[in-house]
């Protein structure tokens, strides 16, 4: 019997190795030793470390460990190149991006093989997924470059961008960051992961070959200290980081108060929800892709299986059968399903986590069969008998480990899915499209795949909620992340608020009747927990009123009320608009009273400010049902619905000036988009906003949607920044206090906007549009397949 007939009879595994010769020849052409690519030139190698093949432990090349001096040289080269690069027409920049895309396509096999040798992922994934997507991103952003001025009017590039990428998708992460940065007119310094620098260095050679102007792209290799030098360099205007949540928090703290742009794409613990009406066989194939793609070393890996109880037993049995057929081995073999982990330290980390989970009661299943004795290999694992508190359920494992739990009802599925500090991606399997589209918006994740998983495209944004970071990569929102309003460069320092020449007030001299303005929490007037009040003075120093002196407990109560009112986000946009219109109408009805209050507090005519506040409420009432999403058409049989969603609970600390407009201009866009608000009004002039709750009570504003806590702005801002129940925080105040707010926000990586001591004239009409609307929302992309 011939060999082919034997194979068909036995169905034995037959290897299909990919030749590494071209990749080896490229490495040899560089003497297996690399310096940096700075200013269009290759530097001499410095102190090096080895980049190893995780499948066999062999050294592939020696990579230079970048120093602070190397980073500084790269920043200077990028700064020197920025003026001419950003001055090019979008068409000219687009031509370079197009040339890069073509060159990557031409050398796609070399990139694929080199990526697999350096990273350990199966060649099928590098060849069929990663490298085609890399080319797609450069093609897509070549088009964006030419159309920026039309689609992003009055926007300018940040300048010099520092970019730090991980080792799980080395070249794809590079494309996600460099393509939009260059399209926008920025120049970049990119640091690849120390484990996987080789394809970034090959990309640098491509930049040389296509004639990209010197200094536009700089590649600096190195370990953690090199990345820290990039983050902390004072002449870098934006940082983009993909990696662990722990490092993301360090970067958030390091950039606080610097004014640098920041995008963070961090960890995940993504739910994979299977309902009883799902096509089970398809869902299992999708699950294989969700968790064992790239050995589970994927930030959006579907690592938490939630399967409906009625089909759990059958689903788990079929899944184990499928796991038994997964092949683990040489990643250059085109028949292999699971390749090598990136490094021995990752293997040990996964094993340690499995031991901890088992000690907590988890049952771990691994299929029979052997893995190669040499190299960084692990079997696929399925974990059952766990509660949500188990380490393996709560922690990101970043390995080929799937954790399974069951649910009974859709409501329970949503609760389990959202029971995590992360919010990167989620998958829903159901043949009932009504059910799937009902569940998708309820999942706190930046990407939701329906009846599919791991769909990516340059036209569709990707990024997370909560501790999975903020900012998006890909799509319109990813393009916008590398641009900022041109007028921000002209902002000047805010004038220092002059304190009234107040006398030392005796708390017993405030009158016979207590007329202290109360706080407003959960739709009710509330006395301060402290039991103390704060005097409010006119410009001459005369006492004109008192307000409660709010503290940490008042903020806690206000946040709880705001979270209880989050149903506001699902209220029809038309209804939200009507309520804002009604609020504006009732405020206008009492305009003379509010103008007099502003005059008493500030000594300035308040009529104009009241009129602007009414107008701003009208403006955002009009936006409530118009600032919405889009439907993308990626190059596969699916659409991706980009849904605009509110952040959730927003803390807003108003500026000291403009006691009415300063608060209205900030809370109106937040409310229009469906957020609930905890407002700290002007410390100096809070009475306008304590008067406003009387208007709110007659304007159908639901309880808890707006909560007002008076007191010291800075101390209350710190409490809001540290509170894990607050999803976003806006602070208008000094540079020092802004830095404090940004640092304190790392507890749950809430999104922040701070004025950094600069003067934002909130009366300007530029603030009645998408500037604050964009900061009050985030984009969720829901992928929906179609076709029989």
């Amino acid at each position: 019997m011939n060999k082919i007939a034997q194979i068909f009879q036995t169905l034995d595994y037959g290897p299909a190795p990919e030749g590494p010769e071209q990749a080896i020849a490229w490495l040899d052409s560089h003497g297996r030793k690399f310096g940096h690519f700075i200013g269009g030139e290759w530097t001499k190698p410095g102190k090096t470390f080895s980049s190893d093949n995780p499948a066999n432990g062999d050294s592939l090349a020696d990579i230079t460990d970048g120093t602070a001096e190397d980073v500084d040289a790269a920043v200077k080269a990028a700064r020197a190149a920025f003026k001419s690069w950003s001055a090019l027409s979008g068409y000219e920049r687009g031509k370079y991006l197009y040339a890069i895309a073509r060159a990557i396509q031409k050398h796609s096999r070399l990139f694929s093989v080199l990526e697999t040798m350096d990273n350990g992922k199966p060649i099928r994934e590098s060849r069929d997924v990663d490298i085609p997507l890399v080319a797609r991103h450069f093609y897509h952003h070549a088009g964006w470059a030419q159309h920026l001025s039309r689609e992003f009017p009055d926007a300018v590039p940040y300048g010099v961008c520092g970019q730090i990428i991980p080792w799980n998708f080395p070249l794809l992460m590079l494309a996600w960051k460099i393509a939009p940065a260059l399209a926008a007119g920025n120049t970049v310094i990119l640091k690849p992961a120390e484990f996987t620098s080789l394809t970034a260095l090959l990309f640098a050679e491509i930049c040389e070959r296509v004639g990209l102007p010197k200094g536009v792209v700089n590649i600096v290799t190195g370990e953690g200290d090199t990345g820290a030098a990039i983050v902390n360099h004072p002449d870098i205007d934006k940082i983009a980081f993909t990696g662990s949540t722990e490092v993301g928090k360090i970067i958030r703290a390091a950039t606080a108060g610097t004014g640098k742009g920041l995008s963070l794409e961090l960890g995940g613990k993504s739910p994979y929800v299977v309902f009883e009406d799902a096509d089970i066989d398809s869902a299992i194939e999708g699950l294989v892709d969700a968790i064992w793609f790239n050995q589970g070393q994927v930030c959006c890996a579907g690592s938490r299986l939630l399967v409906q109880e009625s089909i759990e037993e059958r689903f788990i049995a079929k899944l184990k059968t499928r796991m038994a057929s997964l092949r683990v081995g040489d990643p250059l073999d085109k028949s292999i399903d699971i390749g090598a982990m990136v490094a021995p330290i990752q293997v040990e980390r996964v094993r340690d986590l499995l031991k901890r989970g088992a000690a907590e009661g988890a049952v771990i299943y691994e299929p029979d069969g052997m893995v190669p004795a040499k190299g960084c290999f692990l079997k696929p694992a399925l974990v059952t008998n766990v509660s949500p508190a188990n380490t393996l359920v709560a922690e990101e494992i970043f390995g080929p480990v799937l954790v399974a739990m069951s649910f009974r009802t859709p409501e329970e599925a949503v609760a389990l899915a959202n029971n995590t500090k992360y919010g990167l991606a989620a998958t829903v399997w159901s043949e009932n499209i009504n059910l799937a589209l009902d569940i998708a918006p309820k999942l706190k994740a930046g990407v939701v795949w329906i009846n599919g998983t791991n769909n990516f495209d340059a036209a569709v944004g990707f990024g997370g909620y909560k501790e999975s970071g903020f900012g998006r990569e890909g799509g319109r929102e990813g393009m916008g992340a590398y641009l900022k309003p041109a007028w921000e460069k002209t902002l000047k320092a805010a004038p220092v608020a002059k304190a009234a020449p107040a006398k030392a007030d005796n708390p017993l001299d405030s009158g016979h009747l207590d007329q202290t303005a109360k706080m407003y929490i959960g739709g009710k007037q509330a006395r301060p927990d402290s039991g103390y009040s704060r005097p409010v003075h006119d410009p001459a120093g005369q006492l004109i009123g008192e307000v409660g002196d709010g503290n940490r407990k008042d903020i806690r109560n206000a946040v709880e009320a705001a979270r209880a009112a989050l149903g506001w986000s699902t209220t029809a946009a038309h209804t939200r608009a009507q309520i804002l219109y009604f609020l504006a109408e009732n405020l206008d009805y009492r305009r003379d009273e509010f103008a007099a209050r502003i005059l008493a507090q500030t000594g300035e005519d308040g009529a104009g400010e009241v009129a602007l506040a009414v107008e701003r409420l009208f403006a955002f009432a009009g936006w409530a049902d118009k600032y919405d999403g889009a439907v993308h058409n990626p190059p596969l049989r699916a659409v991706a619905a980009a849904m605009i969603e509110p952040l959730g609970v927003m803390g807003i600390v108003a500026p000291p000036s403009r006691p009415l407009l300063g608060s209205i201009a900030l809370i109106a866009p937040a409310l229009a988009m469906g957020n609930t608000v905890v407002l700290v009004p002007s410390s100096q002039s809070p009475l306008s906003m304590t008067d406003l709750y009387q208007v709110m009570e007659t304007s159908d504003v639901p309880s808890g949607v707006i909560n007002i806590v008076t007191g010291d702005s800075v101390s209350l801002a710190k409490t809001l920044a540290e509170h894990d129940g607050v999803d976003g925080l806006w602070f208008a105040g000094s540079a020092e206090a802004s830095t404090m707010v940004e640092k304190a926000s790392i507890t749950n990586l809430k999104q922040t906007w701070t004025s950094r001591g600069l003067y934002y004239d909130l009366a300007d009409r530029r603030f009645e549009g998408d500037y604050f609307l964009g900061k009050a929302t985030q984009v969720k992309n829901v992928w929906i397949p179609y076709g029989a």
Side-chain angles (χ1 to χ4, degrees), residues 163-166 170 190-198 200-201 219-222:
Q163 303 176 324
I164 303 170
I165 59 174
L190 180 133
K191 189 196 90 67
E194 59 267 33
F195 292 137
T196 54
S197 301
L198 295 178
L201 296 168
I219 306 294
V220 179
T221 56

Side-chain angles (χ1 to χ4, degrees), residues 140 315 324 415 442-443 462 487 542 568 583 630 668 691 712:
H140 179 77
F315 190 95
K442 296 175 181 177
L443 299 176
F462 180 86
W487 53 261
Q542 297 300 311
W568 174 249
L583 183 60
D691 288 347
D712 179 69

Side-chain angles (χ1 to χ4, degrees), residues 507-523:
L508 301 180
D509 293 339
S510 58
H512 298 292
L513 297 177
D514 179 15
Q515 295 183 336
T516 303
K518 298 181 180 64
M519 296 182 289
Y520 191 68
I521 297 175

Side-chain angles (χ1 to χ4, degrees), residues 444 565-573 576 645-646 648 673-676 705:
K444 300 301 181 184
L566 280 173
W568 174 249
S569 65
T570 58
T571 300
R576 294 200 302 269
E645 295 192 334
M673 293 296 97
N675 298 281
T676 57
V705 168

Side-chain angles (χ1 to χ4, degrees), residues 552-577:
R552 181 177 293 273
K553 186 174 180 182
D554 297 313
I555 290 291
R556 185 197 70 185
N557 293 339
V559 172
E560 288 179 357
R563 295 213 73 82
L566 280 173
W568 174 249
S569 65
T570 58
T571 300
H574 169 68
T575 302
R576 294 200 302 269

